[in-house]
Amino acid sequence: MSAVPANRELTMNASDKPSAKAGSGRKALIAWVVRLGAIGCFVLILLYFAIMAPGFLSFYNAMNVVEQSAILGILAFGMSTVIIGGGSDVQTGGIDLSMAAATGLCAAVFASMLNAGFPTPVAFLATLATGLLVGFLNAIAIVRLNILPLLATLATMNIVAGAELILTQNTVLPVTSDFSAELAMGSVAGVSFLAWSLIGFTILMLVVLHFTGTGLRLYAVGGHPEAARAAGIGVGRYLTGTYLFSGACAAMASVLLISRLSASTPGTGELLLSILAAALLGTVFSRRFVPTAGGTLLSTLFIGFLANGFQLLNVSSYWVNGVQGALILLVVAATSFAKPSER
């Protein structure tokens, strides 16, 4: 009697192996098609602008795009770090919807401090503390209170946006500062300080994420949190660190924003779509569909060239938002389809 179930079990196990291999092969093929298709779309769009938009391929225009992408790039790196640490699942994984609002509040604090006569270093420290406070609030809600990141950061976004309106009275705060003017107009070797800030930040992120133990452990926390806990990694500490870093990125980006606009202006919440697009688009350059430093930089520059191409063709900037939203939907849908085991 016992021989029949045993044989049946052996037969089932033997038949499961080819099925598992076939499923893994299909998954790898889908991932390859998604990645190749996304890269192909990027290339085709850039080729279209290169042909149709005059001056698109000029060195001056390329440097202009890099300079304009500095603010978005720093914010995208902050968002990517949160996604790496919290996992790439859109519903339950890491995300920080408060980044754009935090940037606006930090810019308001920096402008207010400078206009009040405080030295630039003091104003910067106050701005950095503001960004870290926002990140700390997110970390408390997510790590300690176990609120979903999507909901926690959405609530924080509204709190921070309200604080900015109270501080600025929903008005523009002009800023006159030698530091801001030098940051906006200065250059080294023909490359502006804003462009150098993106280049330097990218190198820093590349080293930390991919060539240090901290970066490897962060990927482990986001990819396999239970295994990370079993290995003795402080998952909560790493998650807290990602949101603190996100707040610090918002503070640094706000200083660049002030230097570029010479003012703190309402409406920074509109940056959120671009930040999400840059962070999520960067996942298609990864074998495991998780953000990388190189992927985040490429997607940031792609969004910058996309907006630049529309400007050169005299197309309304509203189309940029529509295209970014469509790209986010496509990337999320495609990566979810390529990773059926995580759904």
Side-chain angles (χ1 to χ4, degrees):
M1 296 290 292
S2 60
V4 175
N7 291 337
R8 185 177 299 169
E9 184 178 352
L10 289 174
T11 303
M12 290 178 63
N13 289 338
S15 62
D16 284 346
K17 290 181 180 179
S19 177
K21 290 182 179 179
S24 178
R26 285 194 298 269
K27 181 179 176 182
L29 178 61
I30 292 172
W32 181 82
V33 171
V34 169
R35 190 177 304 110
L36 188 62
I39 295 173
C41 288
F42 292 173
V43 172
L44 288 176
I45 291 174
L46 294 179
L47 283 177
Y48 173 79
F49 286 135
I51 295 172
M52 302 300 297
F56 183 77
L57 293 180
S58 66
F59 176 78
Y60 172 80
N61 187 64
M63 285 295 99
N64 184 47
V65 170
V66 174
E67 179 180 331
Q68 292 177 345
S69 302
I71 297 169
L72 174 60
I74 291 176
L75 292 172
F77 277 120
M79 181 70 75
S80 295
T81 303
V82 170
I83 295 174
I84 292 170
S88 57
D89 186 276
V90 178
Q91 295 179 341
T92 60
I95 196 169
D96 187 357
L97 299 181
S98 67
M99 279 203 76
T103 303
L105 177 59
C106 289
V109 169
F110 190 63
S112 299
M113 295 285 287
L114 291 178
N115 291 338
F118 286 93
T120 299
V122 175
F124 176 76
L125 289 176
T127 303
L128 182 60
T130 302
L132 291 175
L133 178 61
V134 175
F136 182 71
L137 290 176
N138 284 327
I140 289 295
I142 295 165
V143 178
R144 295 299 180 186
L145 302 181
N146 292 319
I147 302 175
L148 285 176
L150 192 69
L151 299 178
T153 58
L154 180 63
T156 304
M157 177 185 73
N158 286 278
I159 295 172
V160 172
E164 180 193 358
L165 293 178
I166 293 172
L167 180 61
T168 64
Q169 295 299 305
N170 199 23
T171 59
V172 175
L173 300 180
V175 175
T176 302
S177 167
D178 294 337
F179 171 78
S180 298
E182 181 64 21
L183 187 59
M185 304 301 296
S187 63
V188 175
V191 179
S192 69
F193 286 155
L194 287 174
W196 277 118
S197 65
L198 178 59
I199 295 170
F201 204 78
T202 300
I203 295 173
L204 175 64
M205 294 301 299
L206 182 65
V207 171
V208 172
L209 289 179
H210 304 296
F211 297 100
T212 66
T214 300
L216 295 177
R217 286 189 290 270
L218 183 62
Y219 275 104
V221 167
H224 305 281
E226 296 303 325
R229 287 191 181 94
I233 299 175
V235 173
R237 291 197 304 272
Y238 273 85
L239 288 178
T240 300
T242 61
Y243 286 99
L244 290 176
F245 180 71
S246 175
C249 287
M252 290 183 283
S254 70
V255 174
L256 299 183
L257 186 65
I258 289 289
S259 67
R260 186 166 181 81
L261 302 179
S262 298
S264 169
T265 60
T268 55
E270 297 178 0
L271 288 171
L272 180 59
L273 183 63
S274 298
I275 298 169
L276 287 172
L280 293 175
L281 286 174
T283 61
V284 301
F285 299 100
S286 166
R287 291 185 296 106
R288 295 181 292 117
F289 290 104
V290 293
T292 61
T296 301
L297 175 65
L298 290 175
S299 59
T300 298
L301 293 178
F302 171 74
I303 292 174
F305 278 111
L306 184 68
N308 177 257
F310 278 125
Q311 290 175 355
L312 294 177
L313 292 176
N314 294 320
V315 177
S316 172
S317 60
Y318 296 121
W319 282 95
V320 178
N321 292 334
V323 172
Q324 288 177 358
L327 288 173
I328 290 175
L329 285 176
L330 288 174
V331 169
V332 171
T335 54
S336 297
F337 185 63
K339 299 187 299 182
S341 62
E342 295 183 7
R343 295 184 62 182

